[in-house]
PDB file of all heavy atoms in Angstrom:
ATOM      1  N   ALA V  38     -29.743   2.611   0.331  1.00 97.00           N
ATOM      2  CA  ALA V  38     -28.892   3.728  -0.067  1.00 97.00           C
ATOM      3  C   ALA V  38     -27.592   3.741   0.736  1.00 97.00           C
ATOM      4  O   ALA V  38     -26.507   3.984   0.184  1.00 97.00           O
ATOM      5  CB  ALA V  38     -29.641   5.048   0.111  1.00 97.00           C
ATOM      6  N   MET V  39     -27.679   3.461   2.035  1.00 97.00           N
ATOM      7  CA  MET V  39     -26.479   3.421   2.863  1.00 97.00           C
ATOM      8  C   MET V  39     -25.539   2.306   2.393  1.00 97.00           C
ATOM      9  O   MET V  39     -24.324   2.498   2.279  1.00 97.00           O
ATOM     10  CB  MET V  39     -26.854   3.211   4.322  1.00 97.00           C
ATOM     11  CG  MET V  39     -25.664   3.235   5.289  1.00 97.00           C
ATOM     12  SD  MET V  39     -24.914   4.862   5.476  1.00 97.00           S
ATOM     13  CE  MET V  39     -26.016   5.601   6.692  1.00 97.00           C
ATOM     14  N   ALA V  40     -26.111   1.125   2.104  1.00 97.00           N
ATOM     15  CA  ALA V  40     -25.282   0.017   1.632  1.00 97.00           C
ATOM     16  C   ALA V  40     -24.654   0.331   0.281  1.00 97.00           C
ATOM     17  O   ALA V  40     -23.484   0.001   0.032  1.00 97.00           O
ATOM     18  CB  ALA V  40     -26.120  -1.260   1.546  1.00 97.00           C
ATOM     19  N   GLU V  41     -25.414   0.981  -0.601  1.00 97.00           N
ATOM     20  CA  GLU V  41     -24.861   1.312  -1.916  1.00 97.00           C
ATOM     21  C   GLU V  41     -23.735   2.330  -1.794  1.00 97.00           C
ATOM     22  O   GLU V  41     -22.737   2.253  -2.520  1.00 97.00           O
ATOM     23  CB  GLU V  41     -25.969   1.835  -2.839  1.00 97.00           C
ATOM     24  CG  GLU V  41     -26.910   0.753  -3.335  1.00 97.00           C
ATOM     25  CD  GLU V  41     -26.191  -0.279  -4.194  1.00 97.00           C
ATOM     26  OE1 GLU V  41     -25.279   0.095  -4.947  1.00 97.00           O
ATOM     27  OE2 GLU V  41     -26.548  -1.458  -4.107  1.00 97.00           O
ATOM     28  N   LEU V  42     -23.877   3.297  -0.889  1.00 97.00           N
ATOM     29  CA  LEU V  42     -22.760   4.209  -0.656  1.00 97.00           C
ATOM     30  C   LEU V  42     -21.544   3.441  -0.144  1.00 97.00           C
ATOM     31  O   LEU V  42     -20.409   3.720  -0.541  1.00 97.00           O
ATOM     32  CB  LEU V  42     -23.150   5.297   0.349  1.00 97.00           C
ATOM     33  CG  LEU V  42     -23.942   6.478  -0.198  1.00 97.00           C
ATOM     34  CD1 LEU V  42     -24.188   7.492   0.910  1.00 97.00           C
ATOM     35  CD2 LEU V  42     -23.232   7.140  -1.367  1.00 97.00           C
ATOM     36  N   GLY V  43     -21.782   2.491   0.750  1.00 97.00           N
ATOM     37  CA  GLY V  43     -20.684   1.665   1.232  1.00 97.00           C
ATOM     38  C   GLY V  43     -20.010   0.912   0.107  1.00 97.00           C
ATOM     39  O   GLY V  43     -18.768   0.798   0.071  1.00 97.00           O
ATOM     40  N   ARG V  44     -20.800   0.420  -0.825  1.00 97.00           N
ATOM     41  CA  ARG V  44     -20.246  -0.323  -1.959  1.00 97.00           C
ATOM     42  C   ARG V  44     -19.368   0.582  -2.842  1.00 97.00           C
ATOM     43  O   ARG V  44     -18.215   0.260  -3.129  1.00 97.00           O
ATOM     44  CB  ARG V  44     -21.381  -0.901  -2.810  1.00 97.00           C
ATOM     45  CG  ARG V  44     -20.913  -1.706  -4.022  1.00 97.00           C
ATOM     46  CD  ARG V  44     -22.047  -1.937  -4.992  1.00 97.00           C
ATOM     47  NE  ARG V  44     -23.249  -2.422  -4.361  1.00 97.00           N
ATOM     48  CZ  ARG V  44     -23.504  -3.720  -4.095  1.00 97.00           C
ATOM     49  NH1 ARG V  44     -22.612  -4.633  -4.447  1.00 97.00           N
ATOM     50  NH2 ARG V  44     -24.627  -4.075  -3.522  1.00 97.00           N
ATOM     51  N   TRP V  45     -19.924   1.718  -3.260  1.00 97.00           N
ATOM     52  CA  TRP V  45     -19.205   2.567  -4.207  1.00 97.00           C
ATOM     53  C   TRP V  45     -18.020   3.268  -3.559  1.00 97.00           C
ATOM     54  O   TRP V  45     -16.972   3.445  -4.199  1.00 97.00           O
ATOM     55  CB  TRP V  45     -20.172   3.570  -4.841  1.00 97.00           C
ATOM     56  CG  TRP V  45     -21.120   2.888  -5.773  1.00 97.00           C
ATOM     57  CD1 TRP V  45     -22.425   2.551  -5.538  1.00 97.00           C
ATOM     58  CD2 TRP V  45     -20.815   2.385  -7.073  1.00 97.00           C
ATOM     59  NE1 TRP V  45     -22.957   1.887  -6.610  1.00 97.00           N
ATOM     60  CE2 TRP V  45     -21.990   1.778  -7.568  1.00 97.00           C
ATOM     61  CE3 TRP V  45     -19.680   2.406  -7.861  1.00 97.00           C
ATOM     62  CZ2 TRP V  45     -22.044   1.184  -8.833  1.00 97.00           C
ATOM     63  CZ3 TRP V  45     -19.730   1.821  -9.123  1.00 97.00           C
ATOM     64  CH2 TRP V  45     -20.911   1.218  -9.591  1.00 97.00           C
ATOM     65  N   LEU V  46     -18.160   3.661  -2.308  1.00 97.00           N
ATOM     66  CA  LEU V  46     -17.031   4.295  -1.633  1.00 97.00           C
ATOM     67  C   LEU V  46     -15.913   3.295  -1.356  1.00 97.00           C
ATOM     68  O   LEU V  46     -14.727   3.641  -1.418  1.00 97.00           O
ATOM     69  CB  LEU V  46     -17.496   4.962  -0.332  1.00 97.00           C
ATOM     70  CG  LEU V  46     -18.373   6.208  -0.528  1.00 97.00           C
ATOM     71  CD1 LEU V  46     -18.964   6.655   0.808  1.00 97.00           C
ATOM     72  CD2 LEU V  46     -17.582   7.349  -1.172  1.00 97.00           C
ATOM     73  N   THR V  47     -16.271   2.045  -1.063  1.00 97.00           N
ATOM     74  CA  THR V  47     -15.251   1.011  -0.904  1.00 97.00           C
ATOM     75  C   THR V  47     -14.516   0.790  -2.218  1.00 97.00           C
ATOM     76  O   THR V  47     -13.279   0.697  -2.256  1.00 97.00           O
ATOM     77  CB  THR V  47     -15.868  -0.309  -0.416  1.00 97.00           C
ATOM     78  OG1 THR V  47     -16.513  -0.097   0.844  1.00 97.00           O
ATOM     79  CG2 THR V  47     -14.808  -1.395  -0.263  1.00 97.00           C
ATOM     80  N   TYR V  48     -15.266   0.699  -3.288  1.00 96.00           N
ATOM     81  CA  TYR V  48     -14.657   0.530  -4.612  1.00 96.00           C
ATOM     82  C   TYR V  48     -13.642   1.642  -4.882  1.00 96.00           C
ATOM     83  O   TYR V  48     -12.512   1.391  -5.337  1.00 96.00           O
ATOM     84  CB  TYR V  48     -15.754   0.536  -5.675  1.00 96.00           C
ATOM     85  CG  TYR V  48     -15.249   0.515  -7.093  1.00 96.00           C
ATOM     86  CD1 TYR V  48     -14.906  -0.675  -7.714  1.00 96.00           C
ATOM     87  CD2 TYR V  48     -15.108   1.696  -7.820  1.00 96.00           C
ATOM     88  CE1 TYR V  48     -14.427  -0.693  -9.021  1.00 96.00           C
ATOM     89  CE2 TYR V  48     -14.637   1.695  -9.115  1.00 96.00           C
ATOM     90  CZ  TYR V  48     -14.298   0.502  -9.720  1.00 96.00           C
ATOM     91  OH  TYR V  48     -13.823   0.497 -10.994  1.00 96.00           O
ATOM     92  N   GLU V  49     -14.035   2.889  -4.567  1.00 95.00           N
ATOM     93  CA  GLU V  49     -13.124   4.009  -4.797  1.00 95.00           C
ATOM     94  C   GLU V  49     -11.925   3.961  -3.848  1.00 95.00           C
ATOM     95  O   GLU V  49     -10.793   4.257  -4.245  1.00 95.00           O
ATOM     96  CB  GLU V  49     -13.871   5.341  -4.632  1.00 95.00           C
ATOM     97  CG  GLU V  49     -14.949   5.586  -5.672  1.00 95.00           C
ATOM     98  CD  GLU V  49     -14.377   5.848  -7.053  1.00 95.00           C
ATOM     99  OE1 GLU V  49     -13.195   6.205  -7.148  1.00 95.00           O
ATOM    100  OE2 GLU V  49     -15.125   5.709  -8.042  1.00 95.00           O
ATOM    101  N   ALA V  50     -12.165   3.568  -2.599  1.00 95.00           N
ATOM    102  CA  ALA V  50     -11.100   3.586  -1.592  1.00 95.00           C
ATOM    103  C   ALA V  50     -10.007   2.569  -1.878  1.00 95.00           C
ATOM    104  O   ALA V  50      -8.851   2.789  -1.528  1.00 95.00           O
ATOM    105  CB  ALA V  50     -11.695   3.347  -0.204  1.00 95.00           C
ATOM    106  N   VAL V  51     -10.367   1.449  -2.499  1.00 94.00           N
ATOM    107  CA  VAL V  51      -9.367   0.398  -2.709  1.00 94.00           C
ATOM    108  C   VAL V  51      -8.760   0.442  -4.106  1.00 94.00           C
ATOM    109  O   VAL V  51      -7.915  -0.382  -4.442  1.00 94.00           O
ATOM    110  CB  VAL V  51      -9.961  -1.007  -2.448  1.00 94.00           C
ATOM    111  CG1 VAL V  51     -10.530  -1.094  -1.043  1.00 94.00           C
ATOM    112  CG2 VAL V  51     -11.030  -1.381  -3.467  1.00 94.00           C
ATOM    113  N   ARG V  52      -9.162   1.431  -4.904  1.00 90.00           N
ATOM    114  CA  ARG V  52      -8.711   1.504  -6.293  1.00 90.00           C
ATOM    115  C   ARG V  52      -7.176   1.473  -6.400  1.00 90.00           C
ATOM    116  O   ARG V  52      -6.618   0.761  -7.227  1.00 90.00           O
ATOM    117  CB  ARG V  52      -9.254   2.776  -6.943  1.00 90.00           C
ATOM    118  CG  ARG V  52      -8.849   2.964  -8.389  1.00 90.00           C
ATOM    119  CD  ARG V  52      -9.153   4.378  -8.842  1.00 90.00           C
ATOM    120  NE  ARG V  52     -10.570   4.665  -8.807  1.00 90.00           N
ATOM    121  CZ  ARG V  52     -11.403   4.469  -9.842  1.00 90.00           C
ATOM    122  NH1 ARG V  52     -10.932   3.956 -10.965  1.00 90.00           N
ATOM    123  NH2 ARG V  52     -12.676   4.784  -9.751  1.00 90.00           N
ATOM    124  N   ASP V  53      -6.486   2.253  -5.586  1.00 88.00           N
ATOM    125  CA  ASP V  53      -5.028   2.309  -5.645  1.00 88.00           C
ATOM    126  C   ASP V  53      -4.399   1.780  -4.363  1.00 88.00           C
ATOM    127  O   ASP V  53      -3.257   2.080  -4.046  1.00 88.00           O
ATOM    128  CB  ASP V  53      -4.563   3.748  -5.877  1.00 88.00           C
ATOM    129  CG  ASP V  53      -4.965   4.683  -4.733  1.00 88.00           C
ATOM    130  OD1 ASP V  53      -5.782   4.272  -3.890  1.00 88.00           O
ATOM    131  OD2 ASP V  53      -4.460   5.816  -4.689  1.00 88.00           O
ATOM    132  N   TRP V  54      -5.140   0.963  -3.641  1.00 87.00           N
ATOM    133  CA  TRP V  54      -4.745   0.581  -2.282  1.00 87.00           C
ATOM    134  C   TRP V  54      -4.511  -0.918  -2.129  1.00 87.00           C
ATOM    135  O   TRP V  54      -3.610  -1.340  -1.423  1.00 87.00           O
ATOM    136  CB  TRP V  54      -5.841   1.065  -1.330  1.00 87.00           C
ATOM    137  CG  TRP V  54      -5.596   0.927   0.133  1.00 87.00           C
ATOM    138  CD1 TRP V  54      -4.775   1.700   0.906  1.00 87.00           C
ATOM    139  CD2 TRP V  54      -6.221   0.003   1.025  1.00 87.00           C
ATOM    140  NE1 TRP V  54      -4.854   1.317   2.228  1.00 87.00           N
ATOM    141  CE2 TRP V  54      -5.741   0.269   2.321  1.00 87.00           C
ATOM    142  CE3 TRP V  54      -7.155  -1.024   0.849  1.00 87.00           C
ATOM    143  CZ2 TRP V  54      -6.140  -0.449   3.447  1.00 87.00           C
ATOM    144  CZ3 TRP V  54      -7.565  -1.740   1.966  1.00 87.00           C
ATOM    145  CH2 TRP V  54      -7.058  -1.457   3.233  1.00 87.00           C
ATOM    146  N   LEU V  55      -5.336  -1.719  -2.791  1.00 87.00           N
ATOM    147  CA  LEU V  55      -5.194  -3.168  -2.656  1.00 87.00           C
ATOM    148  C   LEU V  55      -3.941  -3.653  -3.375  1.00 87.00           C
ATOM    149  O   LEU V  55      -3.703  -3.296  -4.532  1.00 87.00           O
ATOM    150  CB  LEU V  55      -6.415  -3.888  -3.235  1.00 87.00           C
ATOM    151  CG  LEU V  55      -7.684  -3.893  -2.395  1.00 87.00           C
ATOM    152  CD1 LEU V  55      -8.801  -4.610  -3.146  1.00 87.00           C
ATOM    153  CD2 LEU V  55      -7.463  -4.563  -1.047  1.00 87.00           C
ATOM    154  N   PRO V  56      -3.134  -4.469  -2.727  1.00 87.00           N
ATOM    155  CA  PRO V  56      -1.944  -5.014  -3.393  1.00 87.00           C
ATOM    156  C   PRO V  56      -2.335  -6.053  -4.436  1.00 87.00           C
ATOM    157  O   PRO V  56      -3.294  -6.800  -4.257  1.00 87.00           O
ATOM    158  CB  PRO V  56      -1.151  -5.646  -2.243  1.00 87.00           C
ATOM    159  CG  PRO V  56      -2.185  -5.989  -1.227  1.00 87.00           C
ATOM    160  CD  PRO V  56      -3.246  -4.924  -1.333  1.00 87.00           C
ATOM    161  N   GLN V  57      -1.582  -6.090  -5.535  1.00 88.00           N
ATOM    162  CA  GLN V  57      -1.858  -7.036  -6.614  1.00 88.00           C
ATOM    163  C   GLN V  57      -0.627  -7.883  -6.891  1.00 88.00           C
ATOM    164  O   GLN V  57       0.489  -7.542  -6.501  1.00 88.00           O
ATOM    165  CB  GLN V  57      -2.244  -6.275  -7.894  1.00 88.00           C
ATOM    166  CG  GLN V  57      -3.515  -5.467  -7.791  1.00 88.00           C
ATOM    167  CD  GLN V  57      -3.771  -4.699  -9.068  1.00 88.00           C
ATOM    168  OE1 GLN V  57      -2.978  -3.871  -9.498  1.00 88.00           O
ATOM    169  NE2 GLN V  57      -4.896  -4.989  -9.702  1.00 88.00           N
ATOM    170  N   ARG V  58      -0.866  -8.985  -7.581  1.00 90.00           N
ATOM    171  CA  ARG V  58       0.259  -9.796  -8.049  1.00 90.00           C
ATOM    172  C   ARG V  58      -0.066 -10.351  -9.436  1.00 90.00           C
ATOM    173  O   ARG V  58      -1.230 -10.569  -9.778  1.00 90.00           O
ATOM    174  CB  ARG V  58       0.579 -10.922  -7.074  1.00 90.00           C
ATOM    175  CG  ARG V  58      -0.428 -12.033  -7.006  1.00 90.00           C
ATOM    176  CD  ARG V  58       0.045 -13.086  -6.009  1.00 90.00           C
ATOM    177  NE  ARG V  58      -0.847 -14.235  -5.990  1.00 90.00           N
ATOM    178  CZ  ARG V  58      -0.742 -15.222  -5.111  1.00 90.00           C
ATOM    179  NH1 ARG V  58       0.200 -15.199  -4.189  1.00 90.00           N
ATOM    180  NH2 ARG V  58      -1.571 -16.239  -5.147  1.00 90.00           N
ATOM    181  N   ALA V  59       0.977 -10.569 -10.204  1.00 93.00           N
ATOM    182  CA  ALA V  59       0.809 -11.070 -11.569  1.00 93.00           C
ATOM    183  C   ALA V  59       0.571 -12.575 -11.547  1.00 93.00           C
ATOM    184  O   ALA V  59       1.144 -13.298 -10.722  1.00 93.00           O
ATOM    185  CB  ALA V  59       2.036 -10.741 -12.404  1.00 93.00           C
ATOM    186  N   VAL V  60      -0.295 -13.028 -12.430  1.00 94.00           N
ATOM    187  CA  VAL V  60      -0.552 -14.461 -12.578  1.00 94.00           C
ATOM    188  C   VAL V  60      -0.653 -14.777 -14.068  1.00 94.00           C
ATOM    189  O   VAL V  60      -0.844 -13.892 -14.905  1.00 94.00           O
ATOM    190  CB  VAL V  60      -1.859 -14.892 -11.876  1.00 94.00           C
ATOM    191  CG1 VAL V  60      -1.768 -14.694 -10.369  1.00 94.00           C
ATOM    192  CG2 VAL V  60      -3.055 -14.137 -12.451  1.00 94.00           C
ATOM    193  N   GLU V  61      -0.518 -16.052 -14.378  1.00 95.00           N
ATOM    194  CA  GLU V  61      -0.740 -16.523 -15.739  1.00 95.00           C
ATOM    195  C   GLU V  61      -1.941 -17.450 -15.722  1.00 95.00           C
ATOM    196  O   GLU V  61      -2.057 -18.321 -14.857  1.00 95.00           O
ATOM    197  CB  GLU V  61       0.484 -17.263 -16.266  1.00 95.00           C
ATOM    198  CG  GLU V  61       0.369 -17.632 -17.746  1.00 95.00           C
ATOM    199  CD  GLU V  61       1.624 -18.305 -18.272  1.00 95.00           C
ATOM    200  OE1 GLU V  61       1.743 -19.534 -18.077  1.00 95.00           O
ATOM    201  OE2 GLU V  61       2.472 -17.588 -18.846  1.00 95.00           O
ATOM    202  N   VAL V  62      -2.880 -17.209 -16.641  1.00 95.00           N
ATOM    203  CA  VAL V  62      -4.095 -18.023 -16.702  1.00 95.00           C
ATOM    204  C   VAL V  62      -4.247 -18.603 -18.100  1.00 95.00           C
ATOM    205  O   VAL V  62      -3.689 -18.090 -19.075  1.00 95.00           O
ATOM    206  CB  VAL V  62      -5.345 -17.206 -16.333  1.00 95.00           C
ATOM    207  CG1 VAL V  62      -5.278 -16.726 -14.892  1.00 95.00           C
ATOM    208  CG2 VAL V  62      -5.533 -16.032 -17.282  1.00 95.00           C
ATOM    209  N   GLU V  63      -5.022 -19.665 -18.152  1.00 95.00           N
ATOM    210  CA  GLU V  63      -5.290 -20.324 -19.429  1.00 95.00           C
ATOM    211  C   GLU V  63      -6.707 -19.965 -19.875  1.00 95.00           C
ATOM    212  O   GLU V  63      -7.679 -20.247 -19.180  1.00 95.00           O
ATOM    213  CB  GLU V  63      -5.146 -21.835 -19.282  1.00 95.00           C
ATOM    214  CG  GLU V  63      -5.287 -22.584 -20.589  1.00 95.00           C
ATOM    215  CD  GLU V  63      -5.012 -24.067 -20.446  1.00 95.00           C
ATOM    216  OE1 GLU V  63      -4.517 -24.475 -19.369  1.00 95.00           O
ATOM    217  OE2 GLU V  63      -5.304 -24.815 -21.394  1.00 95.00           O
ATOM    218  N   THR V  64      -6.827 -19.323 -21.020  1.00 95.00           N
ATOM    219  CA  THR V  64      -8.135 -19.024 -21.593  1.00 95.00           C
ATOM    220  C   THR V  64      -8.586 -20.242 -22.413  1.00 95.00           C
ATOM    221  O   THR V  64      -7.823 -21.211 -22.580  1.00 95.00           O
ATOM    222  CB  THR V  64      -8.067 -17.787 -22.504  1.00 95.00           C
ATOM    223  OG1 THR V  64      -7.490 -18.159 -23.768  1.00 95.00           O
ATOM    224  CG2 THR V  64      -7.249 -16.676 -21.867  1.00 95.00           C
ATOM    225  N   PRO V  65      -9.804 -20.239 -22.951  1.00 95.00           N
ATOM    226  CA  PRO V  65     -10.211 -21.355 -23.803  1.00 95.00           C
ATOM    227  C   PRO V  65      -9.335 -21.551 -25.037  1.00 95.00           C
ATOM    228  O   PRO V  65      -9.327 -22.635 -25.631  1.00 95.00           O
ATOM    229  CB  PRO V  65     -11.647 -20.974 -24.208  1.00 95.00           C
ATOM    230  CG  PRO V  65     -12.137 -20.147 -23.078  1.00 95.00           C
ATOM    231  CD  PRO V  65     -10.946 -19.353 -22.637  1.00 95.00           C
ATOM    232  N   LEU V  66      -8.574 -20.494 -25.416  1.00 95.00           N
ATOM    233  CA  LEU V  66      -7.789 -20.588 -26.638  1.00 95.00           C
ATOM    234  C   LEU V  66      -6.285 -20.542 -26.428  1.00 95.00           C
ATOM    235  O   LEU V  66      -5.532 -21.010 -27.282  1.00 95.00           O
ATOM    236  CB  LEU V  66      -8.194 -19.462 -27.600  1.00 95.00           C
ATOM    237  CG  LEU V  66      -9.667 -19.453 -28.035  1.00 95.00           C
ATOM    238  CD1 LEU V  66      -9.929 -18.264 -28.932  1.00 95.00           C
ATOM    239  CD2 LEU V  66     -10.009 -20.760 -28.750  1.00 95.00           C
TER     240      LEU V  66
END
Side-chain angles (χ1 to χ4, degrees):
M39 183 69 83
E41 286 297 324
L42 279 183
R44 180 195 312 275
W45 290 102
L46 290 171
T47 300
Y48 174 84
E49 294 290 340
V51 303
R52 180 193 297 269
D53 62 348
W54 187 75
L55 283 178
Q57 297 177 300
R58 71 179 185 188
V60 296
E61 187 177 83
V62 296
E63 185 175 350
T64 78
L66 300 178

